[in-house]
PDB file of all heavy atoms in Angstrom:
ATOM      1  N   LYS A 134       4.139  -9.521 -16.110  1.00 96.00           N
ATOM      2  CA  LYS A 134       5.350  -9.171 -16.871  1.00 96.00           C
ATOM      3  C   LYS A 134       5.491  -9.995 -18.153  1.00 96.00           C
ATOM      4  O   LYS A 134       5.384 -11.212 -18.126  1.00 96.00           O
ATOM      5  CB  LYS A 134       6.583  -9.403 -15.999  1.00 96.00           C
ATOM      6  CG  LYS A 134       7.191  -8.111 -15.572  1.00 96.00           C
ATOM      7  CD  LYS A 134       8.517  -8.273 -14.890  1.00 96.00           C
ATOM      8  CE  LYS A 134       8.511  -7.441 -13.646  1.00 96.00           C
ATOM      9  NZ  LYS A 134       8.474  -8.138 -12.419  1.00 96.00           N
ATOM     10  N   ASP A 166      -2.867  -2.152  -7.170  1.00 98.00           N
ATOM     11  CA  ASP A 166      -1.720  -2.382  -6.291  1.00 98.00           C
ATOM     12  C   ASP A 166      -0.602  -2.854  -7.230  1.00 98.00           C
ATOM     13  O   ASP A 166      -0.689  -2.618  -8.439  1.00 98.00           O
ATOM     14  CB  ASP A 166      -2.038  -3.420  -5.203  1.00 98.00           C
ATOM     15  CG  ASP A 166      -0.992  -3.444  -4.092  1.00 98.00           C
ATOM     16  OD1 ASP A 166      -1.014  -2.560  -3.223  1.00 98.00           O
ATOM     17  OD2 ASP A 166      -0.115  -4.348  -4.100  1.00 98.00           O
ATOM     18  N   THR A 209      -0.930   8.337  -4.277  1.00 98.00           N
ATOM     19  CA  THR A 209      -0.122   7.665  -3.252  1.00 98.00           C
ATOM     20  C   THR A 209       1.239   8.346  -3.111  1.00 98.00           C
ATOM     21  O   THR A 209       1.691   8.668  -2.002  1.00 98.00           O
ATOM     22  CB  THR A 209       0.046   6.173  -3.566  1.00 98.00           C
ATOM     23  OG1 THR A 209      -1.228   5.620  -3.886  1.00 98.00           O
ATOM     24  CG2 THR A 209       0.630   5.430  -2.380  1.00 98.00           C
ATOM     25  N   SER A 238       9.928   1.718  -9.178  1.00 98.00           N
ATOM     26  CA  SER A 238       9.758   2.650 -10.306  1.00 98.00           C
ATOM     27  C   SER A 238       8.373   2.444 -10.891  1.00 98.00           C
ATOM     28  O   SER A 238       8.157   2.575 -12.090  1.00 98.00           O
ATOM     29  CB  SER A 238      10.833   2.420 -11.366  1.00 98.00           C
ATOM     30  OG  SER A 238      10.864   1.047 -11.708  1.00 98.00           O
ATOM     31  N   SER A 262      12.760  -4.676 -10.207  1.00 96.00           N
ATOM     32  CA  SER A 262      13.126  -5.970  -9.616  1.00 96.00           C
ATOM     33  C   SER A 262      14.427  -6.518 -10.197  1.00 96.00           C
ATOM     34  O   SER A 262      14.964  -7.486  -9.667  1.00 96.00           O
ATOM     35  CB  SER A 262      11.988  -6.970  -9.770  1.00 96.00           C
ATOM     36  OG  SER A 262      11.592  -7.040 -11.110  1.00 96.00           O
ATOM     37  N   ARG A 287      12.470  -2.153 -18.909  1.00 97.00           N
ATOM     38  CA  ARG A 287      13.308  -2.262 -17.712  1.00 97.00           C
ATOM     39  C   ARG A 287      14.113  -0.974 -17.499  1.00 97.00           C
ATOM     40  O   ARG A 287      14.328  -0.186 -18.431  1.00 97.00           O
ATOM     41  CB  ARG A 287      14.292  -3.454 -17.832  1.00 97.00           C
ATOM     42  CG  ARG A 287      13.695  -4.758 -18.310  1.00 97.00           C
ATOM     43  CD  ARG A 287      12.498  -5.219 -17.510  1.00 97.00           C
ATOM     44  NE  ARG A 287      12.780  -5.367 -16.087  1.00 97.00           N
ATOM     45  CZ  ARG A 287      11.849  -5.320 -15.141  1.00 97.00           C
ATOM     46  NH1 ARG A 287      10.584  -5.086 -15.452  1.00 97.00           N
ATOM     47  NH2 ARG A 287      12.175  -5.480 -13.887  1.00 97.00           N
ATOM     48  N   ASN A 344       3.935  -1.025   1.214  1.00 98.00           N
ATOM     49  CA  ASN A 344       3.350  -1.594   2.426  1.00 98.00           C
ATOM     50  C   ASN A 344       4.374  -2.474   3.134  1.00 98.00           C
ATOM     51  O   ASN A 344       4.933  -3.393   2.515  1.00 98.00           O
ATOM     52  CB  ASN A 344       2.108  -2.415   2.066  1.00 98.00           C
ATOM     53  CG  ASN A 344       0.920  -1.520   1.733  1.00 98.00           C
ATOM     54  OD1 ASN A 344       0.571  -0.636   2.517  1.00 98.00           O
ATOM     55  ND2 ASN A 344       0.320  -1.712   0.569  1.00 98.00           N
TER      56      ASN A 344
HETATM   57  P1  NDP B 501       3.745  -1.114  -9.341  1.00 53.03           P
HETATM   58  O1  NDP B 501       3.456  -2.468  -9.845  1.00 53.03           O
HETATM   59  O2  NDP B 501       3.306   0.077 -10.115  1.00 53.03           O
HETATM   60  O3  NDP B 501       5.307  -0.951  -9.085  1.00 53.03           O
HETATM   61  C1  NDP B 501       5.997  -1.785  -8.218  1.00 53.03           C
HETATM   62  C2  NDP B 501       7.472  -1.441  -8.281  1.00 53.03           C
HETATM   63  O4  NDP B 501       8.163  -2.173  -7.279  1.00 53.03           O
HETATM   64  C3  NDP B 501       8.111  -1.821  -9.595  1.00 53.03           C
HETATM   65  O5  NDP B 501       9.179  -0.981  -9.854  1.00 53.03           O
HETATM   66  C4  NDP B 501       8.574  -3.250  -9.322  1.00 53.03           C
HETATM   67  O6  NDP B 501       9.620  -3.675 -10.174  1.00 53.03           O
HETATM   68  C5  NDP B 501       9.035  -3.132  -7.893  1.00 53.03           C
HETATM   69  N1  NDP B 501       8.846  -4.422  -7.214  1.00 53.03           N
HETATM   70  C6  NDP B 501       7.690  -5.069  -7.000  1.00 53.03           C
HETATM   71  N2  NDP B 501       7.889  -6.236  -6.397  1.00 53.03           N
HETATM   72  C7  NDP B 501       9.199  -6.329  -6.227  1.00 53.03           C
HETATM   73  C8  NDP B 501      10.017  -7.303  -5.647  1.00 53.03           C
HETATM   74  N3  NDP B 501       9.518  -8.437  -5.126  1.00 53.03           N
HETATM   75  N4  NDP B 501      11.348  -7.065  -5.619  1.00 53.03           N
HETATM   76  C9  NDP B 501      11.857  -5.921  -6.147  1.00 53.03           C
HETATM   77  N5  NDP B 501      11.125  -4.964  -6.727  1.00 53.03           N
HETATM   78  C10 NDP B 501       9.815  -5.159  -6.754  1.00 53.03           C
HETATM   79  O7  NDP B 501       3.145  -1.077  -7.863  1.00 53.03           O
HETATM   80  P2  NDP B 501       2.813   0.187  -6.953  1.00 53.03           P
HETATM   81  O8  NDP B 501       3.775   1.275  -7.205  1.00 53.03           O
HETATM   82  O9  NDP B 501       1.364   0.445  -7.082  1.00 53.03           O
HETATM   83  O10 NDP B 501       3.054  -0.429  -5.504  1.00 53.03           O
HETATM   84  C11 NDP B 501       4.313  -0.335  -4.834  1.00 53.03           C
HETATM   85  C12 NDP B 501       4.093  -0.527  -3.338  1.00 53.03           C
HETATM   86  O11 NDP B 501       3.206   0.490  -2.862  1.00 53.03           O
HETATM   87  C13 NDP B 501       3.444  -1.853  -2.924  1.00 53.03           C
HETATM   88  O12 NDP B 501       3.935  -2.226  -1.657  1.00 53.03           O
HETATM   89  C14 NDP B 501       1.962  -1.480  -2.801  1.00 53.03           C
HETATM   90  O13 NDP B 501       1.286  -2.369  -1.954  1.00 53.03           O
HETATM   91  C15 NDP B 501       2.092  -0.099  -2.192  1.00 53.03           C
HETATM   92  N6  NDP B 501       0.940   0.784  -2.347  1.00 53.03           N
HETATM   93  C16 NDP B 501       0.382   1.067  -3.559  1.00 53.03           C
HETATM   94  C17 NDP B 501      -0.670   1.943  -3.651  1.00 53.03           C
HETATM   95  C18 NDP B 501      -1.268   2.334  -4.954  1.00 53.03           C
HETATM   96  O14 NDP B 501      -2.155   3.203  -4.960  1.00 53.03           O
HETATM   97  N7  NDP B 501      -0.830   1.810  -6.084  1.00 53.03           N
HETATM   98  C19 NDP B 501      -1.268   2.562  -2.455  1.00 53.03           C
HETATM   99  C20 NDP B 501      -0.567   2.260  -1.229  1.00 53.03           C
HETATM  100  C21 NDP B 501       0.488   1.389  -1.200  1.00 53.03           C
HETATM  101  P3  NDP B 501       9.258  -4.617 -11.426  1.00 53.03           P
HETATM  102  O15 NDP B 501       8.408  -3.784 -12.325  1.00 53.03           O
HETATM  103  O16 NDP B 501      10.579  -4.982 -11.985  1.00 53.03           O
HETATM  104  O17 NDP B 501       8.531  -5.788 -10.832  1.00 53.03           O
END
Side-chain angles (χ1 to χ4, degrees):
K134 252 189 227 110
D166 193 78
T209 312
S238 52
S262 53
R287 313 306 303 157
N344 285 308

